Amino acid sequence: MNQQQLHQYFTQHYVDLAQARLGGETLACSDDFFAEMENLIKPGRGVFIDDKYTDRGKWMDGWESRRSYGRTHGNGSGRDEDWCILRLGVAGVIRGIDVDTNHFKGNAPQSIMLEATHCIGDIDNAQWTVLVKQSDTDAHSQNLFEVNCDKVWTHVRLTMFPDGGVARLRVYGYPQLDMNNFVAGELIDLASIQNGARALLCSDMFFSDKNNLLMPGRGVNMGDGWETKRRRDPGPDWSIVKLATRGVIKKAIIDTAHFKGNFPDTFSLEGCVSDDEAILAGDAQWQPVIERTKLFADREHLFIDEICNNETAFTHVRLNIFPDGGVSRMRLFGSIA
């Protein structure tokens, strides 16, 4: 795949595990004299403001270090490099990396390397594994790299050779449920991306991404949800979600926050027991979870008694919206099978 196809594949099939709204955090770096490391995990690709300067030089929307010659980096490696350590918002399996040098035209790094670790305690004692070996990068570009490793990681370390600036770092993969976060018998949100759920497939996401349905918190605006374009037939539009783990749904919340003139008229929810391959091939056998039900604008809708098959464990659900529109969040609380 070329770079454009690779970017489309990553964004359609995986989640950015490092993004700030999932709890991603930049912990430390060798140097961020010109532009702060925290910019690496902000939304978007970064902007450029032609006449904006700070007392340290040109303002840049990314992470930018000083020129490395004559400078001690303090990481003990003895190599000429700059580095930044990030804690992922949620632990998971990494499948792809996007090192985006947008607007860094004369100050991008010559090459980069990415390492990862699984660390619960002191990150200073972590053992790092190379996921992307030292590779050349292009200025003012999205530099995409595939990763083929099934281990679960909690932190990554981006290294620039020898110095320079990166606008954004995206760490694409899928979260993994950590049972240590729950007590016996606790209902968990089976549709939370933080617990390992992810949107597999949808009929349309013209206005906003299907994975917004599963994000933490309530949507901050109309763009922070899943919204389809206007249909000219009865519909429905639909989104298929792989649950965090196989579970029995006991309570559901469908939230249309901020969708006032474009919320769906009605919705239904179905579940199945399947694997991803059968889902993608259209071979799943769906069972009703909530029959077709009226929705209202800008409201959290709670469903408990309306849930049928409330003793049946499912691996996937399909949210159907009639005929189209936008839903901010879907919460499915249940017990682990």
Side-chain angles (χ1 to χ4, degrees):
M1 288 187 282
N2 60 35
Q3 293 284 283
Q4 183 177 359
Q5 291 170 328
L6 204 54
H7 177 257
Q8 185 177 20
Y9 180 79
F10 287 163
T11 55
Q12 284 186 350
H13 292 87
Y14 302 115
V15 178
D16 178 13
L17 302 174
Q19 60 185 294
R21 66 173 175 164
L22 279 183
E25 182 183 5
T26 50
L27 298 182
C29 69
S30 57
D31 183 82
D32 58 355
F33 183 87
F34 286 118
E36 297 80 7
M37 62 181 179
E38 289 82 4
N39 293 328
L40 277 174
I41 54 176
K42 287 183 177 179
R45 292 194 60 202
V47 299
F48 185 83
I49 302 176
D50 187 59
D51 58 351
K52 185 172 182 178
Y53 288 84
T54 73
D55 59 358
R56 294 191 172 192
K58 181 72 184 75
W59 178 89
M60 294 296 289
D61 188 11
W63 166 48
E64 185 181 3
S65 66
R66 289 172 288 181
R67 303 188 188 222
S68 63
Y69 47 76
R71 177 162 57 89
T72 300
H73 292 66
N75 65 350
S77 69
R79 295 178 294 183
D80 194 22
E81 62 195 30
D82 276 309
W83 52 268
C84 183
I85 295 174
L86 301 90
R87 183 179 64 84
L88 300 179
V90 56
V93 177
I94 297 172
R95 286 290 183 241
I97 302 295
D98 180 1
V99 179
D100 189 354
T101 57
N102 198 35
H103 298 300
F104 287 89
K105 298 178 180 180
N107 47 356
Q110 182 178 4
S111 59
I112 63 92
M113 177 175 69
L114 189 116
E115 301 160 284
T117 187
H118 189 287
C119 180
I120 304 301
D122 188 354
I123 194 68
D124 292 337
N125 299 320
Q127 299 295 314
W128 295 93
T129 300
V130 175
L131 297 187
V132 177
K133 65 181 182 180
Q134 185 173 349
S135 304
D136 291 343
T137 51
D138 294 324
H140 191 46
S141 301
Q142 287 178 278
N143 298 274
L144 299 152
F145 306 93
E146 291 185 272
V147 175
N148 185 21
C149 179
D150 293 329
K151 291 184 178 180
V152 175
W153 309 105
T154 59
H155 299 71
V156 295
R157 179 167 65 188
L158 174 66
T159 301
M160 301 188 295
F161 300 90
D163 53 33
V166 173
R168 299 291 188 267
L169 175 66
R170 304 295 181 221
V171 182
Y172 291 108
Y174 52 88
Q176 288 286 85
L177 179 67
D178 186 351
M179 290 306 303
N180 293 320
N181 294 333
F182 305 98
V183 298
E186 179 182 359
L187 293 184
I188 75 167
D189 184 358
L190 299 168
S192 168
I193 216 165
Q194 292 178 305
N195 291 336
R198 57 192 172 107
L200 282 186
L201 199 64
C202 69
S203 58
D204 179 82
M205 54 176 182
F206 185 86
F207 290 110
S208 47
D209 190 83
K210 60 186 183 298
N211 273 305
N212 287 340
L213 271 177
L214 318 178
M215 287 292 174
R218 296 195 75 192
V220 297
N221 55 40
M222 200 173 71
D224 186 18
W226 168 54
E227 184 184 1
T228 68
K229 61 179 176 287
R230 301 187 189 209
R231 296 183 70 99
R232 301 309 180 195
D233 58 53
D237 277 317
W238 48 267
S239 181
I240 296 175
V241 172
K242 180 176 184 177
L243 299 178
T245 187
R246 183 173 175 175
V248 179
I249 300 169
K250 299 293 187 180
K251 180 173 75 171
I253 295 174
I254 304 296
D255 189 357
T256 57
H258 307 292
F259 290 98
K260 299 175 181 178
N262 49 354
F263 64 96
D265 179 61
T266 58
F267 88 102
S268 67
L269 187 69
E270 300 169 290
C272 73
V273 177
S274 183
D275 55 42
D276 293 353
E277 290 72 20
I279 295 284
L280 296 173
D283 295 332
Q285 301 297 312
W286 297 98
Q287 302 177 53
V289 177
I290 300 175
E291 301 287 356
R292 189 167 174 177
T293 303
K294 178 69 177 172
L295 289 174
F296 298 91
D298 195 27
R299 181 185 300 184
E300 274 191 327
H301 306 75
L302 173 64
F303 304 97
I304 297 176
D305 295 337
E306 296 85 351
I307 296 175
C308 50
N309 284 316
N310 60 3
E311 300 297 330
T312 304
F314 298 111
T315 58
H316 299 72
V317 296
R318 181 169 64 187
L319 174 66
N320 305 301
I321 55 174
F322 300 84
D324 54 33
V327 176
S328 178
R329 296 289 189 270
M330 176 174 69
R331 305 284 182 231
L332 302 176
F333 296 95
S335 55
I336 297 173

